[in-house]
Amino acid sequence: MTPRTYRIKSFGCQMNVYDGERMGELLNAQGMAEAADGADADLVVLNTCHIREKAAEKAYSDVGRLRREDGSRPLIALAGCVAQAEGAEAQRRSPMIDLVVGPQAYHRLPEMVAQVARGGRPVDTDMPAISKFDAMPARRRSGPSAFLTVQEGCDKFCTYCVVPYTRGAEISRPWDDIVTEARALVDAGAREIVLLGQNVNAWADGARGLADLIRALDAISGLERIRYTTSHPTDMDDGLIAAHGEVAKLMPYLHLPVQSGSDRVLKAMNRSHSAESYLATIARVRAARPDIAISGDFIVGFPGETEADFEDTLRIVDDVRYASAYSFKYSPRPGTPAASMEDQIAPEIMDDRLQRLQRRLAEHSTAFNRRCIGKDTRILIDRVGRKPGQMIGKSPWLQSVFVETAAPIGAMVDVHLTEALPNSLGGVALAQAAAA
Ligand code: SAH
Ligand code: SF4
Ligand code: F3S
């Protein structure tokens, strides 16, 4: 049977969200429709993440859960990084998986679905022979904030990480393709574009780098905000740092993962930066844009991490005063060098360090939010709030701000920030504040 409706479930990073949107557009172009809320879909695409063991295992439990009460099930496509890492092995482990498609091959999804309808069990984990982007339909729909992948893959080979294997070598999409897609997204309603890459600041087209691209997007009328993620500390060049001080649409927010504050651990991770060089980069960014919010990623319990190493991580957290952060327990990943290192850390120690780290990070993010109180700023409305008349928007520093306003989703609203909640801010719309 040829499926008529689909559902795509994306896990992991923003790039998977972007890929999920593009797969949906591809299926729409084939005449399929997204299944209505609560309805069964004929085709379910699980767009998976392999970064930590828990994420990867989730893929298989999710497959199992797709069996319906009457014993039937949808056509199941395994996509994303677990698909890339496991290939045909995924179907041996879970025979319910009808097709396996890697992150660089999903332009072939419609054709593979047709193969399944003819009784096949296709697997495609090819890395780009042709660019999947060239095979995609043009962008026609967008929310107020749109992801746009400009760079994919990673050549850094941090010793704990699967991404260089699941996403392949670093590639940059061509300048013209990106600008065309950005314009289409703005025409489709995007007010903000988030440029995506595993090492987005390694993006290059000839002599042009990410800063040049950001300046080109700055000239698109109707586009209000530009963000980019994820950057690597060693690719933060002078041009990009200067752009933070000069390009008004570039938001004052930088996600710059450091992973650890210990040089010994950073070396074992193959991070190619030290704590000191990272701090020097942060200082330069802050000189260019003093109000910038810094965010980071951390791993605790990397093999061989001592209490002293961990304290170095707490110290760098205090030095940077992160506005927000993601922190993880080290998860050994098959095929990565760190998985076979000696001195793997006991789970209790990891739990303890993660708790202590998260407590410290929360102190800094709360302090950052408190420092915002009293500021006037502009938010981009992206959701309806729970209370009547309440809307939620994003501040330039990426906090969610609750406000009473009649402005619709997609509007930019000037607000006075009045209140810091644990993970968000409260504000009053400025027109209203003046009237009150
Ligand atoms: N390219 C980005 C992010 C890659 S994955 C970067 O270089 O920072 C997102 C985050 O997941 C990483 O920053 C890291 O903190 C975490 N991560 C990656 N591999 C991991 C592993 N094996 N165990 C625990 N956390 C991991
Ligand atoms: Fe993974 Fe390191 Fe590449 Fe980031 S830079 S994707 S952590 S290998
Ligand atoms: Fe996960 Fe792949 Fe992204 S492993 S974090 S979905 S690049």
Side-chain angles (χ1 to χ4, degrees), residues 11-13 15-16 48-51 81 162-163 166-167 198:
F11 307 94
C13 61
M15 196 174 288
N16 257 14
T48 58
C49 175
H50 196 62
I51 199 82
C81 290
V162 293
V163 171
T166 64
R167 291 277 167 170
Q198 264 91 38

Side-chain angles (χ1 to χ4, degrees), residues 92-112:
R92 280 190 281 277
R93 194 169 151 190
S94 180
M96 280 167 69
I97 298 170
D98 295 295
L99 74 88
V100 179
V101 63
Q104 306 305 351
Y106 64 72
H107 54 287
R108 291 200 52 236
L109 183 60
E111 184 187 330
M112 293 171 79

Side-chain angles (χ1 to χ4, degrees), residues 341-395:
M341 286 180 184
E342 284 171 25
D343 293 329
Q344 299 281 327
I345 304 299
E348 318 78 80
I349 296 181
M350 286 208 223
D351 286 332
D352 173 65
R353 288 182 187 164
L354 186 67
Q355 257 188 34
R356 286 156 66 200
L357 175 60
Q358 292 188 335
R359 224 178 295 134
R360 190 71 63 95
L361 288 167
E363 285 169 20
H364 288 292
S365 61
T366 304
F368 183 88
N369 286 348
R370 289 222 180 94
R371 286 198 295 275
C372 292
I373 297 174
K375 284 189 192 178
D376 291 344
T377 190
R378 184 167 284 185
I379 63 171
L380 170 57
I381 303 290
D382 60 5
R383 272 178 299 154
V384 177
R386 231 179 298 150
K387 296 185 190 156
Q390 188 185 57
M391 301 295 281
I392 306 171
K394 287 281 177 338
S395 76

